[in-house]
Amino acid sequence: MTLSKAKLVPYAIALSVIAFVCFLQSLRHWSARGVVIEELEWKTYDQRVRSALKHRAPCATNLGFVRIDDPDIKNIADGSGGDLDYQYGLYWPRAVYAHLVTELKAEGAKLVAFDVLYGELRHDHPQVILATNETPLSSDEFFARRIREAGNVALATSEKLTPAPLFMGSARIVGDISTEKDSDGVLRRARAFKVLRSWHTVIERYASRFGFDPDKAIAGGAEMLKVGTTNKVLVRIPLEQDGTYDVNAFKAEFEVLPPARFSMRGKAYRDQRVWHMGIVMAAAELGLDLDKARIDLPAGRIFLPGTNGVHRVIPVDKEGRFHVDWSMKEDDDRLTSLNISAFLRSEKKRRDGGGAEIVSAVKGKVLVVGSVATGNDLTDRGATPVENNAYLVAKHWNVANSVIMDRFITRSPLWLELLAVVVMGALAAGLTWKLHAPWPTLVVFGIVGGYVLIAHHVFVEHRYWIPIVLPVIGALMGNHVALLTYNIVFEQREKRRVTGVFAKLVSPNVVSQLLGRDVIRLDGQREHITVFFADVRGFTKLTDVNQTRAENYVRDHHLTGVAAEAHFDKNAKDTLDTVNLYLAAIADQVKKHNGTLDKYIGDCVMAFWGAPTPNVQHAVACVRAAMDAQIAMHLINVGRAADNRRFEEENRQRAAAGQEPLNLLPLLALGTGINTGTAIVGMMGSEAHIINYTVFGREVNLASRLESVSGHSRIIIGEATFRELEKFDMELGALCVELEPVTPKGFSMPIRIWEVPWRKFLPPGTPELPSAEAAAAKPEKPAVPDKPA
């Protein structure tokens, strides 16, 4: 992967994570059910709802709860200790509720909403005798009369069960008490309204008798078994444009009838919008006209006009659902809560001509009647955001409170959620890629905390729900982890690459500096550097002399074949060992002074300072390295000269014994050229073959030319290098000696040059040698002549 492509990878990772999280975020607008991510978001929502409940936002004070609990069941079973003139077991006849309605009306309740379904008539319940001269009424008829007389009763309906026609016609209004839980079993939302379809009595009777679906019959055909056979027939109900159907024709499909003398048509069905019971309660309190509601589900709003200038706008989703604002539990002191048995005792006293037991406790209030008694068939319990086993009757007064207080939970629109994802993802990408560990992680966790606190505050104070899971966990943390992982992998790969390129070229200190930098630029760029060329003088002649000596030895000793090749190989190894000894000494000094070892050009060493790590005193470091290289060469020669003196003494002994003499060690010299200036620095070559971190340009060529004029054991520097010494090492600069200008090959103008007096820096006591230049100019010979063959 090229460096330019490598730079694009983090952007590609960040954009991919953001795009994927945006896709997940948009899923909830298509289908929230079954989406795991949405269920995680619900958990954060539940936590915010619990916090809002503890915050105790202002609530309506004109709501009440008439509760049916275990003591009430016991009281009615035993006649409340004689205070009641009836005793009933667990399942009460409708007359009990009739007495309740009567008392609540007398107490001045504005609306009595039942969270109890009365879907069928109970002929098994005892009759009610109103007066000695009146015909007894069934318990159902008595209940229907009382709710009709009260005029303030809202009966319950659900998807599966509607009030019996007797009750439906007597109630002021019906309200939906259905419960629609989310996929995790928690009740968070309610449907604002449902459409209740009532079929024509003929259709309803025949559908019940023959077992077909009326909806399918009008849509295209409903299958049913033909009477007396196992054959299936298709039932159709053709409708006119006005929704009517031919009753006689329909009945003729099921049984043989005499010819009709006249056509009878009827409305096939009647659709009635049934509002959520909580909205019904709020409408009674605020005077909202539900029949004139304007519903715009695509826009996500329901407008409820009022009869007294008050109106409400309920935010809903495309299915007409809204989130319940759980602000009051059943034990909230702002909710008037009384037991049903207290009202029944009061009603008994009132019938007996006594005073009411409860005075003005429910006057002008909107009440809901429901059960909190023990038993699954008595009480509707389930999970809500505020608790795992709550009384679900609480949804009614919480919905009513939300409408009354005009406080609705609003979820942020898709564009804002996507914007949050993009912003959080971009923040994570920028922080992770730009900052050094551990700061990205610390800052990211700080952003997480800040975002969560803001989301929490906005919900508690304004009931505005902004997402947490995908912007924080998906975009922010996801991008952070992805880029952090890539960063680690990329950094390790870059470290291996840098180490592989520079481990043998620079000192470990320089490698460490490189690895610690934010950006390692190895592509071509201009840098101000100092270039060093050092050539080992006498190596070429040494090679020729050693080759001639080897040839003479093979000839004089009559070596052939493998033996001759072995001698030539040994000679080559000795020659290479010699030059490597000197080259290694030079390279060691380059690394010691944090230079970059560029390459070996035969017996020449090329190095430079100022790249890849910056060094404002690169010229001083280069000159100091050159001086130490000359000193190292000198010390090597001192050691080899001492060895040669020992060899000369030993050779005299070997000659006396008739043995082959030892070859004396060659002493080589070093010529150095240094120049400072701006050059192009970077990787050159192909990663697939050979690649080298090098420099090139005019100033590099000048340094090479200065090495050519340096001679033996001398350091020649250009004017720019000398000016750097004057600036950063005045003492060394003052010791340099200016020479006559030279005009190197390839240059048209004379170049000013200086020589660096490195010998003044030899360690004290270091012996002088015969001119190394002279030693390199002539071949080394043994102290005694070769023994003739």
Side-chain angles (χ1 to χ4, degrees):
M1 182 186 294
T2 63
L3 191 61
S4 59
K5 289 183 179 179
K7 291 180 179 179
L8 295 177
V9 172
Y11 296 99
I13 292 175
L15 290 175
S16 298
V17 171
I18 291 173
F20 180 66
V21 175
C22 285
F23 168 74
L24 293 179
Q25 188 67 54
S26 62
L27 277 181
R28 79 149 181 104
H29 289 263
W30 303 337
S31 175
R33 290 188 177 274
V35 179
V36 176
I37 299 298
E38 185 68 4
E39 290 187 2
L40 292 176
E41 181 63 38
W42 288 339
K43 301 304 179 185
T44 70
Y45 168 82
D46 295 347
Q47 181 59 50
R48 283 175 271 185
V49 171
R50 288 192 287 271
S51 296
L53 181 65
K54 294 178 181 178
H55 185 68
R56 286 179 64 85
C59 290
T61 58
N62 52 346
L63 296 175
F65 177 37
V66 179
R67 54 193 294 138
I68 304 171
D69 58 14
D70 292 335
D72 292 313
I73 294 175
K74 181 178 182 301
N75 287 337
I76 294 177
D78 62 13
S80 192
D83 290 339
L84 299 178
D85 53 359
Y86 47 82
Q87 292 177 293
Y88 299 114
L90 184 61
Y91 300 103
W92 303 336
R94 306 288 165 70
V96 173
Y97 299 104
H99 293 310
L100 173 66
V101 169
T102 301
E103 179 59 24
L104 292 177
K105 175 64 177 178
E107 293 284 347
K110 184 176 291 186
L111 181 75
V112 180
F114 278 91
D115 185 50
V116 181
L117 289 166
Y118 304 104
E120 73 289 329
L121 300 180
R122 297 296 304 272
H123 301 292
D124 56 327
H125 288 171
Q127 291 183 328
V128 178
I129 300 175
L130 300 180
T132 55
N133 59 344
E134 290 189 23
T135 304
L137 298 177
S138 70
S139 181
D140 292 327
E141 291 173 333
F142 181 55
F143 180 49
R145 174 184 288 190
R146 286 292 185 251
I147 60 178
R148 184 169 57 253
E149 292 173 349
N152 65 345
V153 174
L155 291 182
T157 183
S158 68
E159 286 182 332
K160 298 180 179 179
L161 196 62
T162 59
L166 176 64
F167 303 138
M168 180 81 83
S170 302
R172 168 179 169 180
I173 192 172
V174 293
D176 180 38
I177 64 169
S178 300
T179 297
E180 294 186 30
K181 298 180 181 179
D182 289 323
S183 58
D184 60 350
V186 178
L187 177 62
R188 299 182 181 89
R189 297 177 289 184
R191 197 177 294 272
F193 66 89
K194 290 182 179 178
V195 176
L196 179 63
R197 175 162 290 181
S198 301
W199 292 97
H200 188 274
T201 55
V202 173
I203 296 176
E204 185 177 15
R205 183 171 67 251
Y206 278 88
S208 175
R209 178 180 174 186
F210 294 100
F212 65 87
D213 187 347
D215 284 304
K216 291 182 179 180
I218 64 172
E223 288 187 343
M224 60 165 264
L225 290 176
K226 187 174 182 180
V227 178
T229 71
T230 58
N231 299 327
K232 290 185 177 181
V233 296
L234 199 63
V235 178
R236 292 188 178 91
I237 307 177
L239 298 183
E240 299 295 335
Q241 289 186 351
D242 61 356
T244 62
Y245 78 109
D246 188 328
V247 178
N248 292 328
F250 172 73
K251 293 168 65 176
E253 293 190 31
F254 300 92
E255 53 187 322
V256 178
L257 299 174
R261 289 178 295 178
F262 56 89
S263 174
M264 183 167 54
R265 307 194 64 83
K267 196 80 170 179
Y269 60 85
R270 182 173 63 89
D271 284 342
Q272 177 185 0
R273 185 183 297 137
V274 179
W275 293 91
H276 187 278
M277 186 64 82
I279 295 178
V280 170
M281 294 168 63
E285 171 62 24
L286 299 176
L288 301 177
D289 190 346
L290 299 181
D291 293 332
K292 296 181 180 179
R294 297 197 294 272
I295 301 170
D296 189 355
L297 295 184
R301 62 195 300 269
I302 295 176
F303 180 81
L304 302 178
T307 57
N308 53 2
V310 178
H311 69 273
R312 291 292 184 264
V313 178
I314 304 176
V316 294
D317 61 18
K318 294 181 180 180
E319 296 182 21
R321 296 173 302 188
F322 59 95
H323 286 86
V324 179
D325 180 20
W326 299 92
S327 296
M328 291 191 293
K329 296 171 66 176
E330 69 277 358
D331 57 354
D332 195 295
D333 57 6
R334 294 168 293 183
L335 178 71
T336 301
S337 181
L338 294 169
N339 288 77
I340 187 173
S341 56
F343 289 104
L344 295 177
R345 286 194 300 268
S346 182
E347 188 271 341
K348 173 64 168 58
K349 289 184 178 181
R350 195 183 298 275
R351 276 192 289 123
D352 293 342
E357 184 174 295
I358 305 171
V359 180
S360 301
V362 296
K363 185 178 182 179
K365 294 191 176 182
V366 177
L367 308 176
V368 59
V369 180
S371 173
V372 293
T374 305
N376 293 333
D377 56 344
L378 297 178
T379 302
D380 191 12
R381 300 175 71 102
T384 68
V386 296
E387 54 185 329
N388 292 327
N389 191 24
Y391 296 111
L392 298 187
V393 66
K395 64 181 180 286
H396 303 309
W397 63 71
N398 278 296
V399 170
N401 176 73
S402 181
V403 177
I404 294 170
M405 300 302 295
D406 199 14
R407 185 175 64 232
F408 301 98
I409 295 174
T410 304
R411 186 159 186 179
S412 54
L414 179 60
W415 69 265
L416 184 59
E417 295 178 353
L418 296 181
L419 178 63
V421 168
V422 172
V423 171
M424 299 299 277
L427 273 176
L431 293 171
T432 306
W433 200 247
K434 295 298 182 182
L435 299 182
H436 287 296
W439 289 110
T441 301
L442 294 177
V443 175
V444 164
F445 275 109
I447 294 175
V448 170
Y451 184 94
V452 170
L453 286 176
I454 291 174
H456 181 273
H457 175 77
V458 168
F459 184 87
V460 171
E461 294 297 329
H462 306 286
R463 296 301 192 271
Y464 196 80
W465 176 8
I466 57 177
I468 290 178
V469 172
L470 285 176
V472 171
I473 298 178
L476 185 69
M477 298 299 295
N479 242 342
H480 176 62
V481 172
L483 288 175
L484 195 62
T485 302
Y486 173 77
N487 218 354
I488 293 173
V489 174
F490 177 77
E491 282 185 356
Q492 292 300 321
R493 186 172 68 240
E494 281 297 289
K495 285 181 179 180
R496 289 193 297 270
R497 180 169 177 261
V498 170
T499 302
V501 171
F502 291 101
K504 296 181 179 180
L505 304 183
V506 296
S507 69
N509 182 41
V510 174
V511 174
S512 298
Q513 292 182 42
L514 278 173
L515 298 180
R517 291 173 66 178
D518 291 342
V519 179
I520 302 175
R521 297 189 59 185
L522 302 182
D523 48 350
Q525 57 184 331
R526 287 163 51 85
E527 296 286 358
H528 193 257
I529 61 170
T530 298
V531 186
F532 165 98
F533 282 89
D535 184 75
V536 178
R537 307 302 191 200
F539 176 67
T540 302
K541 195 165 187 71
L542 168 65
T543 303
D544 293 340
V545 168
N546 284 352
Q547 180 65 25
T548 301
R549 181 185 295 134
E551 291 173 353
N552 291 338
Y553 184 88
V554 168
R555 185 185 64 251
D556 293 344
H557 289 78
H558 306 290
L559 300 179
T560 60
V562 176
E565 289 298 325
H567 186 76
F568 282 126
D569 289 343
K570 182 179 182 304
N571 176 73
K573 180 179 182 302
D574 292 341
T575 302
L576 193 59
D577 287 345
T578 299
V579 72
N580 282 343
L581 175 67
Y582 287 95
L583 292 178
I586 300 169
D588 288 343
Q589 300 310 314
V590 170
K591 292 185 177 182
K592 174 184 174 183
H593 291 272
N594 294 330
T596 301
L597 190 61
D598 189 319
K599 63 176 69 70
Y600 295 101
I601 311 171
D603 56 355
C604 177
V605 177
M606 177 183 175
F608 54 90
W609 279 255
T613 55
N615 179 3
V616 67
Q617 298 189 28
H618 51 77
V620 175
C622 179
V623 173
R624 290 286 182 181
M627 294 168 58
D628 286 349
Q630 291 285 1
I631 292 172
M633 291 280 289
H634 181 84
L635 295 178
I636 290 174
N637 285 336
V638 167
R640 291 169 73 88
D643 290 340
N644 284 341
R645 289 192 293 271
R646 191 175 70 254
F647 290 166
E648 289 172 351
E649 180 62 30
E650 187 175 342
N651 281 344
R652 283 192 285 270
Q653 298 174 6
R654 293 173 69 89
Q659 297 175 345
E660 293 288 340
L662 301 174
N663 293 328
L664 298 184
L665 302 175
L667 306 183
L668 304 181
L670 187 66
T672 306
I674 297 174
N675 187 49
T676 300
T678 301
I680 298 175
V681 185
M683 303 298 295
M684 180 179 290
S686 169
E687 290 191 4
H689 302 287
I690 298 175
I691 192 167
N692 185 39
Y693 187 70
T694 187
V695 294
F696 56 92
R698 177 187 180 279
E699 307 304 332
V700 178
N701 295 336
L702 179 56
S704 177
R705 298 292 181 248
L706 294 182
E707 176 268 313
S708 300
V709 302
S710 64
H712 292 71
S713 302
R714 301 174 71 193
I715 302 173
I716 303 301
I717 64 175
E719 183 175 4
T721 305
F722 174 71
R723 300 305 176 195
E724 292 287 312
L725 293 182
E726 285 187 317
K727 181 178 180 181
F728 294 107
D729 195 340
M730 292 184 291
E731 182 179 352
L732 178 57
L735 296 175
C736 295
V737 178
E738 185 173 8
L739 307 178
E740 288 294 325
V742 297
T743 305
K745 181 181 178 180
F747 290 81
S748 58
M749 300 295 292
I751 303 297
R752 295 179 67 183
I753 60 174
W754 279 259
E755 181 176 359
V756 179
W758 63 270
R759 293 182 184 277
K760 294 183 179 181
F761 295 86
L762 284 169
T766 303
E768 289 290 336
L769 292 172
S771 173
E773 180 181 349
K778 61 181 181 180
E780 300 293 340
K781 295 181 179 180
V784 294
D786 290 342
K787 180 179 180 179

